[in-house]
């Protein structure tokens, strides 16, 4: 199996809290950045989604904090989709320091919403494959 898609991120000083480590809410921003980066790498722009009348939605998110991150730390944020049979899918992400230490694990449940009907579409895996120039990035 190949390595999951990942993007580099540098922890910026303004993202830290009074203890000097990365503010807990910023981990979600990093995870979101990696997800949108995967979509772009697959050839899907936000405008493409809107034009097709669909948009990704987060239904559940869990963060497990393993090690602190400090200003200046260089990390990679991975992103791997796991598909089931229904209208939802899982996204597993790892925020890893340059030395390989896992700083956080982010797991989520998502869906692809029909923007007119305001309901999840059936078989989001197939919809992403239809939209993508590089569907392999979705594990599809």
């Amino acid at each position: 199996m190949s390595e999951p898609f990942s993007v580099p991120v540098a922890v910026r000083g303004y993202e830290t809290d009074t203890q000097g480590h990365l503010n807990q809410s910023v981990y979600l921003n990093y995870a979101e950045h990696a997800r949108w980066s995967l979509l772009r790498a697959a050839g899907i722009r936000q405008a493409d989604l809107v034009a097709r009348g669909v948009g990704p939605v987060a239904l559940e998110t869990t963060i497990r904090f393993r090690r602190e991150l400090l200003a200046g730390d260089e990390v990679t944020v991975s992103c791997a989709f796991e598909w089931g049979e229904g209208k939802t899918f899982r996204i597993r992400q790892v925020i890893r320091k340059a030395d390989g230490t896992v700083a956080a694990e982010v797991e989520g449940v998502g869906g692809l919403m029909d923007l007119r009907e305001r309901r999840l579409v059936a078989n989001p895996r197939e919809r992403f494959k239809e939209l993508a120039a590089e569907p392999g990035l979705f594990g599809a």
Side-chain angles (χ1 to χ4, degrees):
M1 183 174 151
S2 64
E3 290 294 313
F5 178 87
S6 66
V7 295
V9 176
V11 177
R12 295 165 289 260
Y14 64 83
E15 296 172 324
T16 60
D17 60 20
T18 57
Q19 288 107 348
H21 51 57
L22 187 65
N23 182 281
Q24 48 109 14
S25 66
V26 179
Y27 288 84
L28 292 174
N29 292 337
Y30 288 4
E32 183 82 0
H33 172 64
R35 292 192 298 271
W36 281 107
S37 294
L38 186 151
L39 288 175
R40 277 193 315 277
I44 301 172
R45 299 171 304 137
Q46 285 178 304
D48 300 329
L49 294 166
V50 171
R52 296 290 287 268
V54 295
V57 293
L59 303 170
E60 176 183 311
T61 305
T62 302
I63 305 172
R64 289 179 198 85
F65 301 101
R66 302 295 186 197
R67 295 288 184 270
E68 68 181 352
L69 291 175
L70 305 172
D73 283 346
E74 301 280 336
V75 300
T76 58
V77 185
S78 68
C79 185
F81 281 69
E82 293 180 359
W83 304 98
E85 298 299 318
K87 295 180 179 183
T88 63
F89 49 86
R90 291 197 168 277
I91 301 174
R92 299 200 189 274
Q93 299 182 262
V94 177
I95 300 173
R96 190 179 305 273
K97 294 176 156 191
D99 69 2
T101 302
V102 173
E105 298 164 320
V106 181
E107 293 184 13
V109 175
L112 192 59
M113 180 182 281
D114 180 309
L115 299 176
R116 288 184 227 45
E117 298 290 322
R118 309 307 288 177
R119 295 186 181 276
L120 296 179
V121 301
N123 201 346
R125 171 195 245 174
E126 290 304 313
R127 293 295 289 273
F128 276 118
K129 281 173 63 175
E130 291 168 9
L131 289 164
E134 297 288 337
L137 290 174
F138 294 102

